[in-house]
Amino acid sequence: MKVEFAPLNIPLARRLQTAAVLQWLLSFLLLAQVCLGIIVFLIIRNYWFLYLPYLTWLYFDWQTPEQGGRRSEWVRSWTIWRYFKDYFPIHLIKTWDLDPSHNYIFGFHPHGVLVVGAFGNFCTNYSNFKELFPGLTSYLHVLPYWFRCPFFREYLMSSGPVSVSKKSVSHVLSKEGGGNISVIVLGGAEESLDAHPGKFTLFIRQRKGFVKIALTHGAYLVPVFSFGENELFKQVSNPEGSWLRNVQEKLQKIMGFALPLFHARGIFQYNFGLMPYRKPIHTVVGRPIPVHQTLHPTSEQIEELHQTYMEELRKLFEEHKGKYGIPENEALIFR
């Protein structure tokens, strides 16, 4: 195989974009482990004057990820995130005006390998979110695991993510007068194992908890489809029933998160590496589905609203797929 190297005369802007994505990638692949290693080192070396104050503060701050987090507009406005967005680039598209007097649940699809579109659009100040949806504040819900890592949790929360626990989602949707958006990647870790280029498999048929909590709080449901999300990485082939898929699913059940074996391009060559491909991401926000508050919804009400949501999601995909190079014969597969 002939290795294709990057040209030497790359513009400075593209170099900065690559550096921004590399920083982001390393932070999520390695920073949590490094932070955990630091706290272990401090304990082993008995630097109690460093770790005791932090662990004490951590004890009292433990619930913050379930109480709206602790975002920093300064961190969200770092210039590095502008270069991160422009690397792909990432676009946020509005199809319907949203009334800020309501609270909303954005169902984000697909998960992809690393939910790049969700982070770029809802955890930075460079996606035009404030201009497109004035009066609304978005909260990206992620696995609680990330908030159990000392030090790393502070860095993560500064960009705006909060826990995906029921308590956390309820906190966001309980705002009087509306104005909050819970962004939930509904397919979860399981869906990431099917994030192959050209595939549109969504794990949603058994995902009904978000519907129940929407009914409980009267939060409007909004389907969101991120075109291009599955094109950023390739994965080692892992069809259903293969030994690799079985191992991945078992590890997911044990650890709570999936381990897709992904690859794409390198920093200085285009053939192999962990850097994502430069593929455009178009995150399209669909039409809101009105939800009447029902404190104790029946299974029939949950099922009916769930079916409505899936229909609206399918319509959103069908209406916009042609604009983003998806063949007419391609369709969503709900599992």
Side-chain angles (χ1 to χ4, degrees), residues 76-109:
R76 290 168 61 91
S77 299
W78 282 352
T79 305
I80 195 173
W81 301 132
R82 175 164 62 85
Y83 289 112
F84 173 85
K85 178 186 78 74
D86 292 341
Y87 174 91
F88 300 95
I90 299 172
H91 306 277
L92 184 64
I93 295 97
K94 180 178 78 170
T95 63
W96 208 272
D97 288 331
L98 298 184
D99 185 351
S101 66
H102 298 293
N103 291 315
Y104 299 86
I105 292 180
F106 278 15
F108 187 93
H109 312 270

PDB file of all heavy atoms in Angstrom, residues 76-109:
ATOM      1  N   ARG A  76     -15.653  27.668  26.906  1.00  0.00           N
ATOM      2  CA  ARG A  76     -16.450  27.397  25.707  1.00  0.00           C
ATOM      3  C   ARG A  76     -16.100  28.341  24.561  1.00  0.00           C
ATOM      4  O   ARG A  76     -16.397  28.051  23.401  1.00  0.00           O
ATOM      5  CB  ARG A  76     -17.938  27.499  26.036  1.00  0.00           C
ATOM      6  CG  ARG A  76     -18.461  26.372  26.920  1.00  0.00           C
ATOM      7  CD  ARG A  76     -19.857  26.698  27.444  1.00  0.00           C
ATOM      8  NE  ARG A  76     -20.818  26.873  26.377  1.00  0.00           N
ATOM      9  CZ  ARG A  76     -21.581  25.906  25.865  1.00  0.00           C
ATOM     10  NH1 ARG A  76     -21.460  24.662  26.329  1.00  0.00           N
ATOM     11  NH2 ARG A  76     -22.441  26.147  24.905  1.00  0.00           N
ATOM     12  N   SER A  77     -15.464  29.463  24.895  1.00  0.00           N
ATOM     13  CA  SER A  77     -15.110  30.463  23.879  1.00  0.00           C
ATOM     14  C   SER A  77     -13.639  30.414  23.489  1.00  0.00           C
ATOM     15  O   SER A  77     -13.159  31.304  22.770  1.00  0.00           O
ATOM     16  CB  SER A  77     -15.463  31.874  24.386  1.00  0.00           C
ATOM     17  OG  SER A  77     -16.849  31.994  24.633  1.00  0.00           O
ATOM     18  N   TRP A  78     -12.903  29.397  23.970  1.00  0.00           N
ATOM     19  CA  TRP A  78     -11.509  29.267  23.568  1.00  0.00           C
ATOM     20  C   TRP A  78     -11.414  29.234  22.037  1.00  0.00           C
ATOM     21  O   TRP A  78     -12.200  28.551  21.367  1.00  0.00           O
ATOM     22  CB  TRP A  78     -10.904  27.980  24.122  1.00  0.00           C
ATOM     23  CG  TRP A  78     -10.538  28.043  25.572  1.00  0.00           C
ATOM     24  CD1 TRP A  78     -10.554  29.143  26.381  1.00  0.00           C
ATOM     25  CD2 TRP A  78     -10.108  26.938  26.381  1.00  0.00           C
ATOM     26  NE1 TRP A  78     -10.160  28.794  27.652  1.00  0.00           N
ATOM     27  CE2 TRP A  78      -9.871  27.450  27.672  1.00  0.00           C
ATOM     28  CE3 TRP A  78      -9.886  25.585  26.134  1.00  0.00           C
ATOM     29  CZ2 TRP A  78      -9.435  26.648  28.724  1.00  0.00           C
ATOM     30  CZ3 TRP A  78      -9.462  24.777  27.170  1.00  0.00           C
ATOM     31  CH2 TRP A  78      -9.228  25.304  28.454  1.00  0.00           C
ATOM     32  N   THR A  79     -10.426  29.929  21.497  1.00  0.00           N
ATOM     33  CA  THR A  79     -10.232  29.966  20.045  1.00  0.00           C
ATOM     34  C   THR A  79     -10.007  28.575  19.465  1.00  0.00           C
ATOM     35  O   THR A  79     -10.354  28.310  18.301  1.00  0.00           O
ATOM     36  CB  THR A  79      -9.053  30.883  19.691  1.00  0.00           C
ATOM     37  OG1 THR A  79      -9.275  32.176  20.264  1.00  0.00           O
ATOM     38  CG2 THR A  79      -8.906  31.035  18.189  1.00  0.00           C
ATOM     39  N   ILE A  80      -9.459  27.690  20.254  1.00  0.00           N
ATOM     40  CA  ILE A  80      -9.182  26.333  19.768  1.00  0.00           C
ATOM     41  C   ILE A  80     -10.447  25.637  19.278  1.00  0.00           C
ATOM     42  O   ILE A  80     -10.413  24.829  18.346  1.00  0.00           O
ATOM     43  CB  ILE A  80      -8.489  25.500  20.878  1.00  0.00           C
ATOM     44  CG1 ILE A  80      -7.882  24.233  20.280  1.00  0.00           C
ATOM     45  CG2 ILE A  80      -9.456  25.161  22.011  1.00  0.00           C
ATOM     46  CD1 ILE A  80      -7.034  23.456  21.270  1.00  0.00           C
ATOM     47  N   TRP A  81     -11.612  25.985  19.873  1.00  0.00           N
ATOM     48  CA  TRP A  81     -12.858  25.340  19.467  1.00  0.00           C
ATOM     49  C   TRP A  81     -13.314  25.842  18.093  1.00  0.00           C
ATOM     50  O   TRP A  81     -14.008  25.121  17.370  1.00  0.00           O
ATOM     51  CB  TRP A  81     -13.941  25.565  20.506  1.00  0.00           C
ATOM     52  CG  TRP A  81     -13.584  25.049  21.869  1.00  0.00           C
ATOM     53  CD1 TRP A  81     -13.702  25.715  23.052  1.00  0.00           C
ATOM     54  CD2 TRP A  81     -13.048  23.759  22.199  1.00  0.00           C
ATOM     55  NE1 TRP A  81     -13.260  24.933  24.100  1.00  0.00           N
ATOM     56  CE2 TRP A  81     -12.856  23.723  23.607  1.00  0.00           C
ATOM     57  CE3 TRP A  81     -12.696  22.635  21.457  1.00  0.00           C
ATOM     58  CZ2 TRP A  81     -12.337  22.618  24.274  1.00  0.00           C
ATOM     59  CZ3 TRP A  81     -12.175  21.529  22.118  1.00  0.00           C
ATOM     60  CH2 TRP A  81     -12.004  21.528  23.497  1.00  0.00           C
ATOM     61  N   ARG A  82     -12.952  27.079  17.743  1.00  0.00           N
ATOM     62  CA  ARG A  82     -13.269  27.558  16.396  1.00  0.00           C
ATOM     63  C   ARG A  82     -12.508  26.754  15.358  1.00  0.00           C
ATOM     64  O   ARG A  82     -13.060  26.363  14.324  1.00  0.00           O
ATOM     65  CB  ARG A  82     -12.944  29.043  16.271  1.00  0.00           C
ATOM     66  CG  ARG A  82     -13.136  29.584  14.850  1.00  0.00           C
ATOM     67  CD  ARG A  82     -13.186  31.100  14.839  1.00  0.00           C
ATOM     68  NE  ARG A  82     -11.945  31.686  15.317  1.00  0.00           N
ATOM     69  CZ  ARG A  82     -10.874  31.901  14.546  1.00  0.00           C
ATOM     70  NH1 ARG A  82     -10.895  31.549  13.261  1.00  0.00           N
ATOM     71  NH2 ARG A  82      -9.785  32.457  15.040  1.00  0.00           N
ATOM     72  N   TYR A  83     -11.218  26.476  15.635  1.00  0.00           N
ATOM     73  CA  TYR A  83     -10.440  25.659  14.716  1.00  0.00           C
ATOM     74  C   TYR A  83     -10.948  24.218  14.701  1.00  0.00           C
ATOM     75  O   TYR A  83     -10.926  23.556  13.654  1.00  0.00           O
ATOM     76  CB  TYR A  83      -8.962  25.705  15.100  1.00  0.00           C
ATOM     77  CG  TYR A  83      -8.313  27.038  14.802  1.00  0.00           C
ATOM     78  CD1 TYR A  83      -7.886  27.875  15.831  1.00  0.00           C
ATOM     79  CD2 TYR A  83      -8.140  27.467  13.491  1.00  0.00           C
ATOM     80  CE1 TYR A  83      -7.295  29.106  15.558  1.00  0.00           C
ATOM     81  CE2 TYR A  83      -7.554  28.691  13.203  1.00  0.00           C
ATOM     82  CZ  TYR A  83      -7.135  29.500  14.242  1.00  0.00           C
ATOM     83  OH  TYR A  83      -6.562  30.710  13.959  1.00  0.00           O
ATOM     84  N   PHE A  84     -11.388  23.734  15.854  1.00  0.00           N
ATOM     85  CA  PHE A  84     -11.978  22.393  15.932  1.00  0.00           C
ATOM     86  C   PHE A  84     -13.194  22.297  15.011  1.00  0.00           C
ATOM     87  O   PHE A  84     -13.328  21.344  14.232  1.00  0.00           O
ATOM     88  CB  PHE A  84     -12.382  22.099  17.381  1.00  0.00           C
ATOM     89  CG  PHE A  84     -13.145  20.827  17.587  1.00  0.00           C
ATOM     90  CD1 PHE A  84     -12.490  19.617  17.753  1.00  0.00           C
ATOM     91  CD2 PHE A  84     -14.536  20.826  17.614  1.00  0.00           C
ATOM     92  CE1 PHE A  84     -13.197  18.437  17.945  1.00  0.00           C
ATOM     93  CE2 PHE A  84     -15.248  19.651  17.800  1.00  0.00           C
ATOM     94  CZ  PHE A  84     -14.583  18.456  17.960  1.00  0.00           C
ATOM     95  N   LYS A  85     -14.066  23.282  15.082  1.00  0.00           N
ATOM     96  CA  LYS A  85     -15.278  23.289  14.252  1.00  0.00           C
ATOM     97  C   LYS A  85     -14.946  23.363  12.756  1.00  0.00           C
ATOM     98  O   LYS A  85     -15.564  22.688  11.931  1.00  0.00           O
ATOM     99  CB  LYS A  85     -16.168  24.473  14.630  1.00  0.00           C
ATOM    100  CG  LYS A  85     -17.434  24.618  13.794  1.00  0.00           C
ATOM    101  CD  LYS A  85     -18.190  25.879  14.131  1.00  0.00           C
ATOM    102  CE  LYS A  85     -17.568  27.098  13.493  1.00  0.00           C
ATOM    103  NZ  LYS A  85     -17.840  27.168  12.026  1.00  0.00           N
ATOM    104  N   ASP A  86     -13.942  24.175  12.417  1.00  0.00           N
ATOM    105  CA  ASP A  86     -13.609  24.387  11.012  1.00  0.00           C
ATOM    106  C   ASP A  86     -12.839  23.220  10.391  1.00  0.00           C
ATOM    107  O   ASP A  86     -12.726  23.143   9.170  1.00  0.00           O
ATOM    108  CB  ASP A  86     -12.787  25.671  10.862  1.00  0.00           C
ATOM    109  CG  ASP A  86     -13.607  26.916  11.167  1.00  0.00           C
ATOM    110  OD1 ASP A  86     -14.844  26.824  11.143  1.00  0.00           O
ATOM    111  OD2 ASP A  86     -12.998  27.974  11.446  1.00  0.00           O
ATOM    112  N   TYR A  87     -12.290  22.337  11.209  1.00  0.00           N
ATOM    113  CA  TYR A  87     -11.541  21.182  10.687  1.00  0.00           C
ATOM    114  C   TYR A  87     -12.422  20.323   9.793  1.00  0.00           C
ATOM    115  O   TYR A  87     -11.995  19.874   8.733  1.00  0.00           O
ATOM    116  CB  TYR A  87     -11.000  20.357  11.853  1.00  0.00           C
ATOM    117  CG  TYR A  87     -10.336  19.050  11.460  1.00  0.00           C
ATOM    118  CD1 TYR A  87      -8.964  18.992  11.207  1.00  0.00           C
ATOM    119  CD2 TYR A  87     -11.065  17.864  11.372  1.00  0.00           C
ATOM    120  CE1 TYR A  87      -8.348  17.792  10.867  1.00  0.00           C
ATOM    121  CE2 TYR A  87     -10.458  16.666  11.031  1.00  0.00           C
ATOM    122  CZ  TYR A  87      -9.098  16.636  10.783  1.00  0.00           C
ATOM    123  OH  TYR A  87      -8.493  15.444  10.438  1.00  0.00           O
ATOM    124  N   PHE A  88     -13.671  20.080  10.207  1.00  0.00           N
ATOM    125  CA  PHE A  88     -14.506  19.113   9.481  1.00  0.00           C
ATOM    126  C   PHE A  88     -15.128  19.696   8.204  1.00  0.00           C
ATOM    127  O   PHE A  88     -15.009  19.009   7.180  1.00  0.00           O
ATOM    128  CB  PHE A  88     -15.562  18.551  10.442  1.00  0.00           C
ATOM    129  CG  PHE A  88     -14.950  17.866  11.623  1.00  0.00           C
ATOM    130  CD1 PHE A  88     -14.751  18.544  12.826  1.00  0.00           C
ATOM    131  CD2 PHE A  88     -14.527  16.556  11.528  1.00  0.00           C
ATOM    132  CE1 PHE A  88     -14.155  17.916  13.909  1.00  0.00           C
ATOM    133  CE2 PHE A  88     -13.927  15.907  12.599  1.00  0.00           C
ATOM    134  CZ  PHE A  88     -13.744  16.595  13.794  1.00  0.00           C
ATOM    135  N   PRO A  89     -15.865  20.781   8.180  1.00  0.00           N
ATOM    136  CA  PRO A  89     -16.337  21.619   9.285  1.00  0.00           C
ATOM    137  C   PRO A  89     -17.687  21.124   9.829  1.00  0.00           C
ATOM    138  O   PRO A  89     -18.330  20.258   9.238  1.00  0.00           O
ATOM    139  CB  PRO A  89     -16.484  22.983   8.621  1.00  0.00           C
ATOM    140  CG  PRO A  89     -16.859  22.648   7.209  1.00  0.00           C
ATOM    141  CD  PRO A  89     -16.149  21.361   6.864  1.00  0.00           C
ATOM    142  N   ILE A  90     -18.088  21.730  10.975  1.00  0.00           N
ATOM    143  CA  ILE A  90     -19.350  21.383  11.619  1.00  0.00           C
ATOM    144  C   ILE A  90     -20.361  22.505  11.386  1.00  0.00           C
ATOM    145  O   ILE A  90     -20.043  23.683  11.550  1.00  0.00           O
ATOM    146  CB  ILE A  90     -19.146  21.179  13.138  1.00  0.00           C
ATOM    147  CG1 ILE A  90     -18.155  20.038  13.390  1.00  0.00           C
ATOM    148  CG2 ILE A  90     -20.472  20.892  13.829  1.00  0.00           C
ATOM    149  CD1 ILE A  90     -17.750  19.890  14.845  1.00  0.00           C
ATOM    150  N   HIS A  91     -21.582  22.111  10.997  1.00  0.00           N
ATOM    151  CA  HIS A  91     -22.645  23.084  10.742  1.00  0.00           C
ATOM    152  C   HIS A  91     -23.883  22.712  11.562  1.00  0.00           C
ATOM    153  O   HIS A  91     -24.222  21.533  11.688  1.00  0.00           O
ATOM    154  CB  HIS A  91     -23.031  23.099   9.260  1.00  0.00           C
ATOM    155  CG  HIS A  91     -21.875  23.328   8.333  1.00  0.00           C
ATOM    156  ND1 HIS A  91     -21.380  24.572   8.034  1.00  0.00           N
ATOM    157  CD2 HIS A  91     -21.107  22.445   7.633  1.00  0.00           C
ATOM    158  CE1 HIS A  91     -20.368  24.470   7.190  1.00  0.00           C
ATOM    159  NE2 HIS A  91     -20.174  23.177   6.934  1.00  0.00           N
ATOM    160  N   LEU A  92     -24.552  23.710  12.101  1.00  0.00           N
ATOM    161  CA  LEU A  92     -25.819  23.510  12.814  1.00  0.00           C
ATOM    162  C   LEU A  92     -26.923  24.140  11.979  1.00  0.00           C
ATOM    163  O   LEU A  92     -26.854  25.332  11.643  1.00  0.00           O
ATOM    164  CB  LEU A  92     -25.755  24.159  14.202  1.00  0.00           C
ATOM    165  CG  LEU A  92     -26.974  23.957  15.108  1.00  0.00           C
ATOM    166  CD1 LEU A  92     -27.160  22.474  15.447  1.00  0.00           C
ATOM    167  CD2 LEU A  92     -26.839  24.763  16.400  1.00  0.00           C
ATOM    168  N   ILE A  93     -27.936  23.348  11.635  1.00  0.00           N
ATOM    169  CA  ILE A  93     -29.015  23.810  10.757  1.00  0.00           C
ATOM    170  C   ILE A  93     -30.342  23.775  11.501  1.00  0.00           C
ATOM    171  O   ILE A  93     -30.721  22.746  12.069  1.00  0.00           O
ATOM    172  CB  ILE A  93     -29.106  22.938   9.478  1.00  0.00           C
ATOM    173  CG1 ILE A  93     -27.832  23.100   8.637  1.00  0.00           C
ATOM    174  CG2 ILE A  93     -30.310  23.320   8.646  1.00  0.00           C
ATOM    175  CD1 ILE A  93     -26.809  22.050   8.828  1.00  0.00           C
ATOM    176  N   LYS A  94     -31.030  24.899  11.483  1.00  0.00           N
ATOM    177  CA  LYS A  94     -32.352  24.993  12.120  1.00  0.00           C
ATOM    178  C   LYS A  94     -33.432  24.866  11.059  1.00  0.00           C
ATOM    179  O   LYS A  94     -33.348  25.484  10.008  1.00  0.00           O
ATOM    180  CB  LYS A  94     -32.498  26.341  12.838  1.00  0.00           C
ATOM    181  CG  LYS A  94     -33.831  26.529  13.526  1.00  0.00           C
ATOM    182  CD  LYS A  94     -33.914  27.866  14.259  1.00  0.00           C
ATOM    183  CE  LYS A  94     -34.165  29.009  13.316  1.00  0.00           C
ATOM    184  NZ  LYS A  94     -34.492  30.272  14.030  1.00  0.00           N
ATOM    185  N   THR A  95     -34.454  24.067  11.345  1.00  0.00           N
ATOM    186  CA  THR A  95     -35.577  23.930  10.410  1.00  0.00           C
ATOM    187  C   THR A  95     -36.872  24.514  10.982  1.00  0.00           C
ATOM    188  O   THR A  95     -37.859  24.647  10.253  1.00  0.00           O
ATOM    189  CB  THR A  95     -35.831  22.442  10.078  1.00  0.00           C
ATOM    190  OG1 THR A  95     -36.207  21.737  11.287  1.00  0.00           O
ATOM    191  CG2 THR A  95     -34.587  21.792   9.490  1.00  0.00           C
ATOM    192  N   TRP A  96     -36.848  24.848  12.283  1.00  0.00           N
ATOM    193  CA  TRP A  96     -38.079  25.297  12.943  1.00  0.00           C
ATOM    194  C   TRP A  96     -37.697  26.216  14.113  1.00  0.00           C
ATOM    195  O   TRP A  96     -36.711  25.966  14.816  1.00  0.00           O
ATOM    196  CB  TRP A  96     -38.835  24.072  13.479  1.00  0.00           C
ATOM    197  CG  TRP A  96     -40.322  24.269  13.573  1.00  0.00           C
ATOM    198  CD1 TRP A  96     -41.012  24.795  14.625  1.00  0.00           C
ATOM    199  CD2 TRP A  96     -41.306  23.934  12.592  1.00  0.00           C
ATOM    200  NE1 TRP A  96     -42.358  24.808  14.366  1.00  0.00           N
ATOM    201  CE2 TRP A  96     -42.568  24.283  13.112  1.00  0.00           C
ATOM    202  CE3 TRP A  96     -41.232  23.372  11.313  1.00  0.00           C
ATOM    203  CZ2 TRP A  96     -43.758  24.082  12.402  1.00  0.00           C
ATOM    204  CZ3 TRP A  96     -42.400  23.170  10.624  1.00  0.00           C
ATOM    205  CH2 TRP A  96     -43.649  23.523  11.151  1.00  0.00           C
ATOM    206  N   ASP A  97     -38.481  27.260  14.304  1.00  0.00           N
ATOM    207  CA  ASP A  97     -38.264  28.131  15.460  1.00  0.00           C
ATOM    208  C   ASP A  97     -38.706  27.410  16.733  1.00  0.00           C
ATOM    209  O   ASP A  97     -39.732  26.712  16.744  1.00  0.00           O
ATOM    210  CB  ASP A  97     -39.065  29.433  15.322  1.00  0.00           C
ATOM    211  CG  ASP A  97     -38.486  30.359  14.255  1.00  0.00           C
ATOM    212  OD1 ASP A  97     -37.267  30.295  14.039  1.00  0.00           O
ATOM    213  OD2 ASP A  97     -39.263  31.118  13.645  1.00  0.00           O
ATOM    214  N   LEU A  98     -37.938  27.593  17.808  1.00  0.00           N
ATOM    215  CA  LEU A  98     -38.268  26.985  19.095  1.00  0.00           C
ATOM    216  C   LEU A  98     -38.625  28.071  20.093  1.00  0.00           C
ATOM    217  O   LEU A  98     -37.867  29.026  20.291  1.00  0.00           O
ATOM    218  CB  LEU A  98     -37.081  26.157  19.620  1.00  0.00           C
ATOM    219  CG  LEU A  98     -36.630  24.971  18.764  1.00  0.00           C
ATOM    220  CD1 LEU A  98     -35.515  24.205  19.477  1.00  0.00           C
ATOM    221  CD2 LEU A  98     -37.800  24.038  18.457  1.00  0.00           C
ATOM    222  N   ASP A  99     -39.763  27.919  20.720  1.00  0.00           N
ATOM    223  CA  ASP A  99     -40.259  28.875  21.708  1.00  0.00           C
ATOM    224  C   ASP A  99     -39.470  28.711  23.009  1.00  0.00           C
ATOM    225  O   ASP A  99     -39.506  27.644  23.620  1.00  0.00           O
ATOM    226  CB  ASP A  99     -41.748  28.616  21.955  1.00  0.00           C
ATOM    227  CG  ASP A  99     -42.381  29.638  22.889  1.00  0.00           C
ATOM    228  OD1 ASP A  99     -41.640  30.445  23.487  1.00  0.00           O
ATOM    229  OD2 ASP A  99     -43.621  29.627  23.027  1.00  0.00           O
ATOM    230  N   PRO A 100     -38.763  29.766  23.458  1.00  0.00           N
ATOM    231  CA  PRO A 100     -37.954  29.639  24.683  1.00  0.00           C
ATOM    232  C   PRO A 100     -38.775  29.526  25.966  1.00  0.00           C
ATOM    233  O   PRO A 100     -38.191  29.373  27.045  1.00  0.00           O
ATOM    234  CB  PRO A 100     -37.109  30.923  24.680  1.00  0.00           C
ATOM    235  CG  PRO A 100     -37.881  31.890  23.857  1.00  0.00           C
ATOM    236  CD  PRO A 100     -38.585  31.081  22.809  1.00  0.00           C
ATOM    237  N   SER A 101     -40.091  29.559  25.863  1.00  0.00           N
ATOM    238  CA  SER A 101     -40.919  29.391  27.059  1.00  0.00           C
ATOM    239  C   SER A 101     -41.145  27.915  27.382  1.00  0.00           C
ATOM    240  O   SER A 101     -41.808  27.588  28.372  1.00  0.00           O
ATOM    241  CB  SER A 101     -42.273  30.096  26.884  1.00  0.00           C
ATOM    242  OG  SER A 101     -43.044  29.479  25.865  1.00  0.00           O
ATOM    243  N   HIS A 102     -40.616  27.032  26.548  1.00  0.00           N
ATOM    244  CA  HIS A 102     -40.716  25.590  26.785  1.00  0.00           C
ATOM    245  C   HIS A 102     -39.324  25.013  27.065  1.00  0.00           C
ATOM    246  O   HIS A 102     -38.309  25.595  26.696  1.00  0.00           O
ATOM    247  CB  HIS A 102     -41.311  24.871  25.574  1.00  0.00           C
ATOM    248  CG  HIS A 102     -42.702  25.271  25.230  1.00  0.00           C
ATOM    249  ND1 HIS A 102     -43.777  25.001  26.045  1.00  0.00           N
ATOM    250  CD2 HIS A 102     -43.203  25.930  24.150  1.00  0.00           C
ATOM    251  CE1 HIS A 102     -44.887  25.466  25.492  1.00  0.00           C
ATOM    252  NE2 HIS A 102     -44.566  26.035  24.340  1.00  0.00           N
ATOM    253  N   ASN A 103     -39.310  23.850  27.697  1.00  0.00           N
ATOM    254  CA  ASN A 103     -38.102  23.047  27.801  1.00  0.00           C
ATOM    255  C   ASN A 103     -38.170  21.954  26.741  1.00  0.00           C
ATOM    256  O   ASN A 103     -39.263  21.519  26.345  1.00  0.00           O
ATOM    257  CB  ASN A 103     -37.974  22.423  29.196  1.00  0.00           C
ATOM    258  CG  ASN A 103     -37.704  23.455  30.269  1.00  0.00           C
ATOM    259  OD1 ASN A 103     -36.865  24.339  30.101  1.00  0.00           O
ATOM    260  ND2 ASN A 103     -38.414  23.357  31.386  1.00  0.00           N
ATOM    261  N   TYR A 104     -37.005  21.482  26.295  1.00  0.00           N
ATOM    262  CA  TYR A 104     -36.960  20.540  25.183  1.00  0.00           C
ATOM    263  C   TYR A 104     -35.987  19.386  25.463  1.00  0.00           C
ATOM    264  O   TYR A 104     -35.027  19.545  26.219  1.00  0.00           O
ATOM    265  CB  TYR A 104     -36.497  21.238  23.895  1.00  0.00           C
ATOM    266  CG  TYR A 104     -37.390  22.360  23.428  1.00  0.00           C
ATOM    267  CD1 TYR A 104     -37.226  23.654  23.925  1.00  0.00           C
ATOM    268  CD2 TYR A 104     -38.399  22.137  22.496  1.00  0.00           C
ATOM    269  CE1 TYR A 104     -38.041  24.689  23.501  1.00  0.00           C
ATOM    270  CE2 TYR A 104     -39.223  23.170  22.066  1.00  0.00           C
ATOM    271  CZ  TYR A 104     -39.030  24.446  22.573  1.00  0.00           C
ATOM    272  OH  TYR A 104     -39.849  25.472  22.147  1.00  0.00           O
ATOM    273  N   ILE A 105     -36.260  18.253  24.803  1.00  0.00           N
ATOM    274  CA  ILE A 105     -35.293  17.165  24.714  1.00  0.00           C
ATOM    275  C   ILE A 105     -34.907  17.032  23.255  1.00  0.00           C
ATOM    276  O   ILE A 105     -35.759  16.787  22.392  1.00  0.00           O
ATOM    277  CB  ILE A 105     -35.865  15.826  25.224  1.00  0.00           C
ATOM    278  CG1 ILE A 105     -36.095  15.869  26.728  1.00  0.00           C
ATOM    279  CG2 ILE A 105     -34.897  14.686  24.885  1.00  0.00           C
ATOM    280  CD1 ILE A 105     -36.670  14.577  27.297  1.00  0.00           C
ATOM    281  N   PHE A 106     -33.627  17.260  22.959  1.00  0.00           N
ATOM    282  CA  PHE A 106     -33.095  17.007  21.626  1.00  0.00           C
ATOM    283  C   PHE A 106     -32.605  15.561  21.595  1.00  0.00           C
ATOM    284  O   PHE A 106     -31.682  15.193  22.323  1.00  0.00           O
ATOM    285  CB  PHE A 106     -31.907  17.917  21.324  1.00  0.00           C
ATOM    286  CG  PHE A 106     -32.253  19.306  20.854  1.00  0.00           C
ATOM    287  CD1 PHE A 106     -33.531  19.811  21.003  1.00  0.00           C
ATOM    288  CD2 PHE A 106     -31.292  20.116  20.252  1.00  0.00           C
ATOM    289  CE1 PHE A 106     -33.850  21.094  20.577  1.00  0.00           C
ATOM    290  CE2 PHE A 106     -31.592  21.396  19.818  1.00  0.00           C
ATOM    291  CZ  PHE A 106     -32.872  21.892  19.981  1.00  0.00           C
ATOM    292  N   GLY A 107     -33.214  14.731  20.763  1.00  0.00           N
ATOM    293  CA  GLY A 107     -32.717  13.373  20.562  1.00  0.00           C
ATOM    294  C   GLY A 107     -31.665  13.401  19.465  1.00  0.00           C
ATOM    295  O   GLY A 107     -32.001  13.616  18.296  1.00  0.00           O
ATOM    296  N   PHE A 108     -30.407  13.203  19.829  1.00  0.00           N
ATOM    297  CA  PHE A 108     -29.308  13.325  18.870  1.00  0.00           C
ATOM    298  C   PHE A 108     -29.004  11.976  18.233  1.00  0.00           C
ATOM    299  O   PHE A 108     -28.799  10.981  18.921  1.00  0.00           O
ATOM    300  CB  PHE A 108     -28.062  13.865  19.585  1.00  0.00           C
ATOM    301  CG  PHE A 108     -26.910  14.182  18.676  1.00  0.00           C
ATOM    302  CD1 PHE A 108     -26.736  15.453  18.162  1.00  0.00           C
ATOM    303  CD2 PHE A 108     -25.990  13.197  18.334  1.00  0.00           C
ATOM    304  CE1 PHE A 108     -25.671  15.747  17.318  1.00  0.00           C
ATOM    305  CE2 PHE A 108     -24.923  13.471  17.492  1.00  0.00           C
ATOM    306  CZ  PHE A 108     -24.764  14.753  16.983  1.00  0.00           C
ATOM    307  N   HIS A 109     -28.913  11.961  16.889  1.00  0.00           N
ATOM    308  CA  HIS A 109     -28.645  10.736  16.131  1.00  0.00           C
ATOM    309  C   HIS A 109     -27.699  11.071  14.978  1.00  0.00           C
ATOM    310  O   HIS A 109     -27.786  12.156  14.404  1.00  0.00           O
ATOM    311  CB  HIS A 109     -29.923  10.153  15.553  1.00  0.00           C
ATOM    312  CG  HIS A 109     -31.060  10.035  16.520  1.00  0.00           C
ATOM    313  ND1 HIS A 109     -31.270   8.912  17.292  1.00  0.00           N
ATOM    314  CD2 HIS A 109     -32.057  10.901  16.829  1.00  0.00           C
ATOM    315  CE1 HIS A 109     -32.354   9.091  18.036  1.00  0.00           C
ATOM    316  NE2 HIS A 109     -32.837  10.300  17.772  1.00  0.00           N
TER     317      HIS A 109
END
